[in-house]
Amino acid sequence: MADESLIEFLHAEIVKYVIDSNDDKVNTKCSLQKYISTLEYLGYITGFRIIERLTREWSPFKNELETMKFLCTDFWSSIYMKQIDNLRTNHKGVYVLQDNAFRYLVHLSSQKQYLEFAPRFVAFTCGLIRGALSNLGITCLVTAEVDQMPACKFHIQVQRS
Amino acid sequence: MTIYNFYLFDKNGTLLYYAEWFRVKQSGMTREEEGKLMYGMLFSLKTFVTRISPMDVKEGFLYYKTSKYVLNYFETPTGLKFVLNTDIVSPNNRDILQQIYSQIYVEYVVKNPLCSMNEAIESELFKTKLDEFIKRTPIYSVRSV
């Protein structure tokens, strides 16, 4: 097992790299969208692959809620060394996963400082969740919301066909 | 027992952070000038100690003491310099500096991608954590007036 901080430093550099390579000084709004979606895509691929490895000893999940519970416990603790602190759902395909001390934000701030930079540090994880669920047969949309660092809420909206 | 103030320099002598708690007398110059003066003194002292030492130096300069205060010095292999001024009755404070380095600087500056490592530290979280840490140390709380 590699040192925990290795992934943190690597993640920080990936974020920086993606932002620098997408730096478009003419239209900053457009480049924000661009780098967020690049990071999300990287997360998606990673999540899609890692779930294969994590569930190799599991039998298929009974339903959507069971899948989400797996995500909050085993999936999260194998990646972020802790479980999700709160899982809520409206039973209509919307799930909210709350992590009160999200790993990529915990060293940044405990107040409002740096809040404007939060989106770039959660985009990868949004993709990670989406990729994992996608491989488990759930198509969804994942967004993140940060009100107060280091807490982060991930909204999962399952797309019903 | 008291902690007066704290300086953090990088290997090039930039003053990364300054904090004070019970400093009674100010130096009468800007913080920037004071930082340069302090760094210059530390640099000379370090060289002096290494040159004059009659035997092989292991740790080099550790602290100095006047009739009123002790300046505790801790340098990392990467050249960061931690300086803490305390009163003369406080015991050896090296471990405090070591902890500031490993538990606060590394956690909240090195692991914060938004903190540049060779500029003054802006992070509020670092500031809060350092203040909390200093106020928790036994030499801070047992204060004789």
Side-chain angles (χ1 to χ4, degrees), chain B residues 54-118:
Chain B
M55 51 199 79
D56 263 354
V57 184
K58 269 204 189 115
E59 295 189 279
F61 170 49
L62 299 174
Y63 68 93
Y64 75 67
K65 189 172 180 179
T66 73
S67 60
K68 294 284 180 200
Y69 75 100
V70 182
L71 179 140
N72 302 275
Y73 178 78
F74 170 69
E75 186 176 339
T76 69
T78 52
L80 287 164
K81 292 160 185 76
F82 293 77
V83 179
L84 190 72
N85 286 319
T86 59
D87 66 358
I88 50 172
V89 286
S90 303
N92 184 7
N93 297 307
R94 250 184 106 63
D95 49 335
I96 293 186
L97 289 175
Q98 196 135 23
Q99 282 170 17
I100 292 178
Y101 170 55
S102 65
Q103 292 169 19
I104 301 174
Y105 180 79
V106 171
E107 288 299 311
Y108 301 106
V109 176
V110 179
K111 291 191 182 174
N112 180 348
L114 299 171
C115 273
S116 160
M117 280 174 65
N118 43 27

Side-chain angles (χ1 to χ4, degrees), chain A residues 5 8-9 12 16 104-111 113-114 117 120-121 149, chain B residues 106-116 121-126 128-129:
Chain A
S5 46
E8 278 177 54
F9 293 134
K16 190 166 168 286
Y104 297 140
L105 299 178
V106 88
H107 304 294
L108 292 188
S109 164
S110 59
Q111 292 138 353
Q113 197 193 17
Y114 300 131
F117 298 108
R120 61 174 75 167
F121 295 110
M149 294 217 251
Chain B
V106 171
E107 288 299 311
Y108 301 106
V109 176
V110 179
K111 291 191 182 174
N112 180 348
L114 299 171
C115 273
S116 160
I121 298 165
E122 304 277 330
S123 166
E124 292 289 329
L125 189 58
F126 173 82
T128 327
K129 292 283 175 187

Side-chain angles (χ1 to χ4, degrees), chain A residues 9-145:
Chain A
F9 293 134
L10 184 62
H11 175 260
E13 284 313 305
I14 291 170
V15 171
K16 190 166 168 286
Y17 177 79
V18 169
I19 290 172
D20 288 351
S21 57
N22 273 327
D23 201 11
D24 177 3
K25 285 185 180 64
V26 190
N27 194 342
T28 40
K29 188 120 191 173
C30 159
S31 78
L32 178 90
Q33 278 308 317
K34 228 161 87 187
Y35 72 67
I36 293 289
S37 63
T38 311
L39 285 168
E40 213 262 359
Y41 175 72
L42 290 173
Y44 177 83
I45 300 293
T46 314
F48 197 92
R49 284 173 182 265
I50 202 163
I51 200 73
E52 208 72 71
R53 202 192 84 101
L54 290 176
T55 54
R56 62 187 166 187
E57 260 134 55
W58 287 66
S59 45
F61 298 104
K62 281 200 296 276
N63 53 34
E64 212 173 83
L65 190 62
E66 288 300 310
T67 316
M68 293 299 169
K69 280 184 187 160
F70 168 80
L71 214 67
C72 293
T73 52
D74 292 72
F75 179 76
W76 213 257
S77 45
S78 67
I79 296 169
Y80 296 116
M81 310 298 161
K82 73 187 282 292
Q83 299 192 351
I84 281 282
D85 294 297
N86 194 348
L87 167 67
R88 270 175 298 165
T89 174
N90 67 352
H91 298 288
K92 283 178 196 144
V94 176
Y95 298 85
V96 180
L97 278 58
Q98 185 173 339
D99 188 337
N100 293 330
F102 183 53
R103 174 117 158 252
Y104 297 140
L105 299 178
V106 88
H107 304 294
L108 292 188
S109 164
S110 59
Q111 292 138 353
K112 300 275 179 201
Q113 197 193 17
Y114 300 131
L115 199 62
E116 68 271 31
F117 298 108
R120 61 174 75 167
F121 295 110
V122 295
F124 178 82
T125 307
C126 286
L128 208 61
I129 298 172
R130 192 168 69 89
L133 287 172
S134 165
N135 203 358
L136 294 171
I138 301 173
T139 314
C140 58
L141 211 74
V142 183
T143 48
E145 178 193 342

